[in-house]
């Protein structure tokens, strides 16, 4: 038991060391750091979605909206009504969880594409609300003046401090997600994915576990939402639309379904790629599309599967030599 | 509400609903042979309209020929898409193929933006723009074209799936791929045909709607979304349920926009769809889940 | 109908006047089926007699159109499947339903779900309750794997096991749930003669060593006649006989039903 915990802690620690070393490795280039900060925020959502889709087998095209609900809530609470930051952030995450609970209860009875449609519909309704409730959200042009994050006397006003804040959060979320999947709850989730009937006949309350993981993934999206709002100090509806939901699913699948590590890799890859394609101007979108097609065609298990195949190949080569 | 207003809304709804219905039909055809939802379906609809405009400017062959060329080209795009991106990776999971179609849709959209920019284009109406007054409503002639052509396509599909050997073979593939293979039906050919067919119906839907709504490289996103909603609403796998779902969705939007709020018209439509799904988890005309234990 | 279940304290499962209609077809008509605690009770019948349907009604996968199901002293006619399992009625499946993506040990540890509990927060933050629970979980799972005699690599994905071993795995998983009544749906389907003989021994040991009542739906007559204490025969959705194996073998109606099937 202890050794399995160790086997899990070691890679997470190594990962965190990498996080700590990254700014030095990038020689404190704030442009690259800002890209990675954004990728980290998105990776938090993707990990939640990975638990939901990769482990429990339930799709959601509404996570961009959940992310947005949290971001707008903390924005409105802190900037419009002047509540303290902690209150704003807690209400952002809290409201997201409550919305997920209320929406999830009826909607998670649906399966497959029907569930995709229902969550998509939810996402679009929220998106339209962000656009039209101008008095509250500022409408299509966005919401400005969200205060910067500070705790005690420390203000997260530098690119570097926010990078550490975000990626520390990523590490914590990764750790508790790994804990979850190696527990009776994780097994129950994988069981209901593999066979709904068999899971029920083991006494697993399938509906409750689906709801649990949906709400937990919403909480992750909520955490990402508050980090996002206070990072950019500006939010606009266009960040929380259908496109972003599809992109999140793409990150999960490209990274490797049911691999939390793969999800992080997929997120960083798909977030950073457009930045590097900027040089190609008009060709940018086309190249992005083509890379996506090729990756999915030739990495059927995603990036995580590709890496483990590579490791196996290298081992075989070394073994032969 | 007087009869004239009612008819006005109904006509507007059925007009745009026809295109949703044709897009939904396209989704259904590919779903039935492959089990995947083709995210590039909206791009087929966009290509139908945008290419018609392009051919008009380029070759000026007259409107009917331009539309014909656009539909033909889009059908070929469907063929190429299947050949290059679907056939080589048959033994992968459904979700992977769906992401591949997302990639295709991004690529097609990027290509169109590169070639024709972000401008909005118009296509002339098929027979003038003088509105026709009917029972207090005034209806654009193009609406009649749209409804007529949609019904024609639906009738053609019905004939194809129930009367022709090829169409029946396609249906057989969707019900029992293994049995179909044993019967000597080439599933690969059916998948290819399904991509061409759904590109065809999508392109027709796009080409006939463009004179009313104009077009640009990115109209496929929303049209594809609505088409997907329509085919879920109708019940996934049922081609005529999908078409009916499209018409219903169009009408919902038109009345929502006219009677309640045009800003929230999409929201209203999706609230109704959600309500319908909670009431009927397999859509309006879908077969209920009859899984064997 | 509480008076009927009240009479026999040792009746652990009682189906009373169960009717099931699928569309226009009557799958089960007025079926009574009792299982006494500590017995191995079999449900047999020709193909399409409604055996699996009755098992589905008992386990909650199908809701009966009419009639009542009393399980473990409670009226569970309308209870969802997971509640019946929680109460202690655990089943296996005719078409194997092992969790193919999980490894062998994890499959059986999932069976322990209802036995060893700790909360979500314990799981997320690895509290001492988590470590205790997991240790207990693993012990119970290993114990059941040893009980059914499934040797080999328990870290292998369950989907990679050969068919016969997947059957054993499913049995181990069901036993890990520590049921009071175990419902077996054609456990010998797809097994060879030697494997079936091993299975018969196992089923007896489940009753004798673990003290678990067994209700079994099966085709294999040798297996049934060898292990059962009581048998109920279904034909076209109706009960045509109940009794001891000896009584059933002599029952002319049963013989006719089976001969009729062979004549087809």
């Amino acid at each position: 038991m202890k050794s399995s915990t160790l086997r899990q802690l070691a890679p997470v620690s190594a990962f965190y060391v990498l996080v700590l070393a990254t700014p030095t490795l990038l020689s404190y280039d704030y442009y690259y750091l800002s890209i990675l900060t954004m990728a980290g925020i998105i990776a938090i959502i993707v990990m939640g979605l990975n638990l939901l889709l990769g482990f429990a087998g339930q799709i959601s095209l509404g996570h961009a909206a959940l992310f947005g609900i949290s971001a707008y809530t903390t924005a409105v609470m802190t900037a419009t009504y002047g509540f303290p930051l902690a209150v704003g952030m807690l209400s952002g995450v809290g409201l997201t969880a409550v919305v997920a609970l209320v929406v999830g209860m009826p909607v998670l009875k649906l399966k497959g594409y029907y569930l995709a449609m229902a969550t998509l519909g939810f996402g679009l309704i929220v998106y339209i609300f962000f656009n039209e409730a101008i008095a509250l959200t500022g409408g299509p042009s966005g919401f400005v003046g969200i205060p910067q994050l500070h705790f005690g006397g420390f203000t997260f006003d530098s690119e570097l401090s926010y990078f550490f804040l975000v990626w520390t959060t990523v590490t914590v979320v990764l750790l508790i997600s790994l804990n979850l999947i190696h527990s009776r709850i994780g097994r129950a989730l994988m069981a209901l994915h593999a066979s709904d009937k068999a899971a029920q006949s083991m006494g697993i309350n399938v509906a409750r576990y689906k709801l649990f993981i949906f709400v937990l993934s919403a909480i992750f999206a909520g955490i990402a939402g508050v980090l996002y709002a206070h990072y950019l100090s500006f939010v606009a509806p266009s960040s929380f639309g259908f496109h972003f939901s599809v992109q999140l699913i793409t990150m999960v699948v490209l990274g490797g379904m049911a691999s939390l590590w793969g999800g992080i890799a997929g997120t960083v890859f798909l977030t950073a790629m457009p930045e590097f394609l900027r040089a190609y101007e008009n060709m940018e979108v086309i190249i992005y599309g083509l890379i996506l097609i090729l990756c999915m065609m030739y990495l059927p298990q995603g990036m995580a599967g590709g890496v483990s195949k590579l490791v196996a190949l290298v081992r075989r080569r070394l073994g032969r030599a | 509400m007087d009869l004239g207003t009612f008819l006005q809304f109904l006509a507007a709804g059925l007009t745009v609903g026809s295109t949703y219905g044709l897009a939904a039909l396209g989704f259904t055809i590919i779903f039935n042979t492959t089990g995947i939802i083709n995210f590039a379906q909206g791009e087929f609809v966009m290509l139908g309209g945008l290419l018609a405009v392009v051919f008009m400017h380029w070759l000026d062959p007259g409107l009917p020929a331009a539309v014909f060329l656009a539909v033909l080209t889009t059908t070929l795009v469907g063929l190429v898409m299947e050949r290059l991106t679907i056939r080589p990776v048959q033994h992968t999971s459904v979700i992977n193929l769906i992401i591949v179609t997302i990639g295709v849709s991004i690529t097609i959209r990027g290509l169109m933006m590169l070639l024709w920019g972000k401008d909005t284009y118009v296509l002339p109406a098929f027979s003038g723009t003088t509105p026709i007054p009917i029972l207090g409503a005034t209806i654009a002639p193009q609406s009649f074209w749209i409804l007529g052509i949609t019904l024609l396509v639906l009738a053609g599909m019905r004939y194809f799936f129930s009367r022709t050997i090829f169409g029946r073979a396609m249906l057989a593939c969707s019900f029992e791929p293994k049995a179909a293979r044993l019967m000597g039906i080439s599933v690969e050919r059916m998948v290819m045909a399904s991509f061409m067919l759904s590109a065809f119906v999508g392109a027709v839907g796009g080409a006939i709607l463009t004179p009313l709504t104009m077009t640009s490289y990115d109209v496929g996103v929303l049209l594809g979304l609505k088409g997907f909603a329509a085919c879920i609403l109708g019940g996934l796998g049922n081609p005529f349920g999908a078409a009916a779902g499209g018409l219903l969705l169009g009408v919902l939007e038109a009345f929502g926009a006219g009677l309640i709020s045009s800003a929230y018209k999409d929201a209203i439509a999706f609230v109704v769809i959600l309500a319908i799904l909670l009431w009927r988890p397999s859509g309006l005309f879908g077969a209920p889940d009859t899984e064997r234990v | 109908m509480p008076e009927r279940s009240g009479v026999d304290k040792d009746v652990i499962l009682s189906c009373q006047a169960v009717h099931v209609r699928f569309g226009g077809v009557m799958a089960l008509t007025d079926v009574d089926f009792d299982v006494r605690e500590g017995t191995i009770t079999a449900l047999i019948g020709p193909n399409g007699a409604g055996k699996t349907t009755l098992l589905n009604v008992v386990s909650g996968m199908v809701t009966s159109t009419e009639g009542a199901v009393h399980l473990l002293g409670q009226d569970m006619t309308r209870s969802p499947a997971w509640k019946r399992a929680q109460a202690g009625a655990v089943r296996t499946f005719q078409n194997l339903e092992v969790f193919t993506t999980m490894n062998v040990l994890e499959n059986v540890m999932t069976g322990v779900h209802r036995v060893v509990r700790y909360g979500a927060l314990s799981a997320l933050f690895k509290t001492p309750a988590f470590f205790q629970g997991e240790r207990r979980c693993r012990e119970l799972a290993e114990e059941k794997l040893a009980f059914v005699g499934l040797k080999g690599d328990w870290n292998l994905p369950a989907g990679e096991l050969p068919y016969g071993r997947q059957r054993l795995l499913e049995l181990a998983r069901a036993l890990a749930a520590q049921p009071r009544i175990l419902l077996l749906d054609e456990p010998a389907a797809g097994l060879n003669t030697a494997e079936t003989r091993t299975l018969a021994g196992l089923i007896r040991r489940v009753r004798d060593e673990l003290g678990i009542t067994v209700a079994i739906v099966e085709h294999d007559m040798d297996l049934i006649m060898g292990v059962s204490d009581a048998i109920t025969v279904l034909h076209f959705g109706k009960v045509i006989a109940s009794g001891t194996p000896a009584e059933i073998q002599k029952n002319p109606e049963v013989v006719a039903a089976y001969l009729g099937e062979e004549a087809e």
Side-chain angles (χ1 to χ4, degrees), chain B residues 14 56 59 77 183 195 221 234 251 273:
Chain B
L14 290 176
M56 276 297 276
L59 308 169
V77 170
M183 300 285 288
F195 271 84
V221 178
V251 171
I273 291 177

Side-chain angles (χ1 to χ4, degrees), chain A residues 83-318:
Chain A
F83 280 101
L85 275 172
V87 176
M89 292 171 76
L90 278 178
S91 26
V93 178
L95 184 66
T96 310
V98 171
V99 169
L101 190 71
V102 172
V103 171
M105 256 191 281
V107 156
L108 288 167
K109 292 198 179 95
L110 301 171
K111 288 178 180 157
Y113 291 126
Y114 294 95
L115 178 61
M117 180 64 235
T119 48
L120 166 65
F122 158 74
L124 285 169
I125 292 164
V126 172
Y127 175 74
I128 292 167
F129 176 80
F130 289 156
N131 272 295
E132 302 298 333
I134 296 170
L136 194 66
T137 63
S141 51
F143 188 110
V144 291
I146 306 168
Q148 274 178 330
L149 215 53
H150 55 82
F151 279 112
F154 187 79
T155 308
F156 289 91
D157 53 358
S158 72
E159 204 56 70
L160 192 63
S161 60
Y162 222 91
F163 170 86
F164 282 129
L165 173 69
V166 164
W167 281 91
T168 305
T169 314
V170 170
T171 312
V172 172
V173 168
L174 172 66
L175 192 62
I176 64 172
S177 301
L178 287 169
N179 287 350
L180 186 77
I181 59 178
H182 293 113
S183 73
R184 73 189 277 269
I185 292 162
R187 287 192 295 270
L189 295 173
M190 287 186 270
L192 73 88
H193 184 189
S195 167
D196 196 299
K197 292 179 292 195
Q200 290 192 42
S201 57
M202 295 297 113
I204 294 167
N205 183 347
V206 167
R208 212 178 99 211
Y209 276 92
K210 283 185 189 172
L211 191 60
F212 166 78
I213 199 61
F214 188 68
V215 172
L216 185 71
S217 72
I219 289 173
F220 287 1
I223 293 170
V226 296
L227 285 174
Y228 178 82
H230 294 289
Y231 174 56
L232 290 188
S233 79
F234 164 79
V235 290
S238 57
S239 318
F240 311 117
F242 166 66
H243 269 291
F244 187 51
S245 277
V246 172
Q247 224 180 336
L248 290 171
I249 298 286
T250 306
M251 287 164 176
V252 172
V253 180
L254 180 69
M257 293 264 275
S259 165
L260 291 160
W261 296 100
I264 295 177
T267 308
V268 172
F269 180 69
L270 284 183
T271 312
M273 190 166 65
E275 303 293 336
F276 291 106
L277 294 178
R278 281 270 162 84
Y280 301 96
E281 282 184 62
N282 293 329
M283 297 292 287
E284 180 193 331
V285 184
I286 302 174
I287 298 173
Y288 180 93
L290 289 176
I291 291 178
L292 187 59
I293 296 171
L294 292 174
C295 284
M296 285 326 300
M297 285 175 71
Y298 298 106
L299 289 175
Q301 306 299 321
M303 295 167 75
V307 167
S308 53
K309 233 184 244 169
L310 200 69
V311 169
L313 194 76
V314 169
R315 270 198 192 149
R316 224 176 303 142
R317 281 282 157 82
L318 289 179

Side-chain angles (χ1 to χ4, degrees), chain B residues 46-153:
Chain B
M46 174 272 286
L47 285 176
L50 191 60
L51 289 178
V53 175
V54 168
F55 283 121
M56 276 297 276
H57 282 269
W58 244 10
L59 308 169
D60 196 16
L63 189 59
V67 168
F68 174 79
L69 283 173
V71 172
L72 183 72
T73 313
T74 309
T75 309
L76 291 177
V77 170
L79 168 73
V80 171
M81 173 182 175
E82 195 274 336
R83 272 300 170 102
L84 291 185
T85 67
I86 304 296
R87 185 169 299 194
V89 284
Q90 275 167 356
H91 301 286
T92 187
S93 65
V94 163
I95 185 116
N96 282 23
L97 286 175
I98 294 174
I99 307 284
V100 168
T101 70
I102 292 176
V104 171
S105 121
I106 293 173
T107 310
I108 293 178
R109 216 180 306 140
L111 198 63
M112 286 298 115
M113 189 182 77
L114 181 71
L115 293 174
W116 322 111
K118 296 185 175 179
D119 301 329
T120 303
Y121 296 94
V122 288
L123 190 67
F126 292 6
S127 57
T129 50
T130 321
I132 302 164
I134 296 172
L135 301 169
T138 52
I139 293 165
Q142 187 67 21
S143 289
F144 292 101
W145 279 105
I146 290 175
L147 277 175
I149 290 175
T150 302
L151 288 176
L152 205 65
V153 170

Side-chain angles (χ1 to χ4, degrees), chain A residues 13-51:
Chain A
S13 313
F15 173 75
Y16 195 59
V17 170
L18 181 68
V19 165
L20 294 178
T22 298
T24 322
L25 293 175
L26 294 175
S27 48
Y28 296 91
D29 183 317
Y30 282 4
Y31 172 65
Y32 289 135
L33 280 182
S34 71
I35 295 170
L36 282 179
T37 300
M38 201 47 107
I41 291 173
I42 299 170
I44 297 170
I45 321 175
V46 168
M47 280 189 276
L49 209 51
N50 207 327
L51 292 176

Side-chain angles (χ1 to χ4, degrees), chain B residues 232-289:
Chain B
I232 291 289
L233 185 60
L236 198 52
N238 177 344
F240 302 98
L247 293 175
L248 184 62
L249 181 59
V251 171
L252 266 174
E253 276 180 19
F255 280 90
L259 299 179
I260 306 173
S261 144
S262 67
Y264 282 101
K265 73 168 178 158
D266 287 334
I268 296 161
F270 282 107
V271 167
V272 175
I273 291 177
L274 279 178
I276 290 176
L277 281 183
L278 296 180
W279 166 54
R280 290 185 68 98
S282 305
L284 287 174
F285 310 104
D289 207 5

